[in-house]
Amino acid sequence: MSTVTGAGLKATSGTLAAGRYLAVVGVCGLALLFIFSASLSLLSHDGWMFGDYFSQIPRDGNAEWYRNFGGRSVPQIQDQDIFYSNVGSSVAAAKSADIIFLGPSFVSYALDRRTLEAAPQFDQLKIYNMAFVGLRGGEFSRRVINRWKIHPPLWVINADDQFVHFFSNDLNVTLGPQKMPIVAVERSRLRGYLTVVGRNLHWRIEDLSCCRFDGHPVKLIRPCARTQPG
């Protein structure tokens, strides 16, 4: 027969109290984060709507698209974390596609979504644009493809013959004169998700900092709200 001393009971009760305290703090923190995000959404140009994932910034009011490129002083891109950490339904959409276009950002400018949608030949086909902004090499794309097992019936790849080409193992992103390593590949899936959420909240705060009064209503000017298809 074992006996429980008063000191043991006190330690156990102290541990339970600490656990309850941490649980309450965690719930309150999540609630405050949700309220803060909702408040930013209501004050931002797009209003509040439920999107593909928590804190998503819809593109032109359409929750099926998300803002991919932003940042007033430091340009930032969402695609790398969204695809590598499988945030939202972008990877699932790619896995269900019949045709995927792959390559750097100018592939997006070469494709016209309305033209493809209007073509009767493509009525029964799912076409997906998986071009990445600022990525000339294809190493990151290959890692995403292998990690999430994306295997459409047909790939359409822009494989140019630049110094950094699609078949190189370059893992850098180039935005104007800046060349930086792709840090998304170093993050865990949870950290990647939190990075996407934090980046969106940061962009919403920047949106509000762009506000100016024009008479009575508040109008938003958005020099930083550059968007790309998601």
Side-chain angles (χ1 to χ4, degrees):
M1 178 182 292
S2 61
T3 59
V4 179
T5 63
L9 287 173
K10 186 175 181 181
T12 302
S13 61
T15 302
L16 292 175
R20 287 194 294 268
Y21 174 78
L22 292 175
V24 170
V25 170
V27 170
C28 291
L30 289 175
L32 288 174
L33 177 62
F34 180 81
I35 293 172
F36 177 68
S37 175
S39 300
L40 285 177
S41 299
L42 288 170
L43 292 172
S44 296
H45 63 90
D46 51 56
W48 171 259
M49 61 179 64
F50 290 97
D52 192 29
Y53 56 87
F54 177 71
S55 84
Q56 175 194 344
I57 301 178
R59 181 190 177 195
D60 298 329
N62 185 352
E64 294 183 356
W65 300 81
Y66 59 83
R67 185 192 299 185
N68 180 36
F69 189 45
R72 294 185 64 189
S73 56
V74 179
Q76 296 175 310
I77 299 175
Q78 288 285 45
D79 265 351
Q80 296 154 24
D81 283 293
I82 284 178
F83 277 85
Y84 195 79
S85 296
N86 197 356
V87 178
S89 59
S90 295
V91 170
K95 294 179 71 171
S96 67
D98 300 302
I99 303 173
I100 295 182
F101 286 87
L102 205 59
S105 56
F106 50 75
V107 171
S108 297
Y109 296 101
L111 297 175
D112 185 79
R113 181 166 53 91
R114 293 182 180 87
T115 300
L116 292 174
E117 290 175 346
Q121 298 90 338
F122 299 128
D123 279 347
Q124 305 300 321
L125 295 176
K126 296 180 181 178
I127 301 175
Y128 195 81
N129 176 16
M130 211 171 95
F132 290 103
V133 177
L135 303 189
R136 301 305 299 269
E139 178 64 22
F140 177 77
S141 299
R142 289 190 291 272
R143 292 195 182 192
V144 170
I145 291 166
N146 292 330
R147 187 178 194 190
W148 303 115
K149 297 178 175 57
I150 302 173
H151 302 297
L154 177 64
W155 290 100
V156 179
I157 304 174
N158 181 85
D160 56 32
D161 57 355
Q162 303 273 342
F163 181 73
V164 178
H165 52 83
F166 182 82
F167 298 104
S168 67
N169 59 0
D170 185 80
L171 265 179
N172 292 289
V173 55
T174 303
L175 294 175
Q178 297 181 339
K179 187 174 183 179
M180 301 165 289
I182 302 174
V183 294
V185 298
E186 302 172 3
R187 298 188 179 109
S188 65
R189 189 173 182 185
L190 176 60
R191 188 179 175 191
Y193 181 88
L194 294 176
T195 299
V196 170
V197 171
R199 194 176 288 133
N200 279 329
L201 294 179
H202 176 74
W203 289 353
R204 288 188 182 277
I205 292 174
E206 285 190 336
D207 280 354
L208 292 179
S209 72
C210 295
C211 292
R212 63 179 175 85
F213 280 97
D214 185 4
H216 295 291
V218 176
K219 293 185 178 180
L220 293 177
I221 52 177
R222 299 180 292 154
C224 49
R226 295 164 287 184
T227 59
Q228 291 287 343

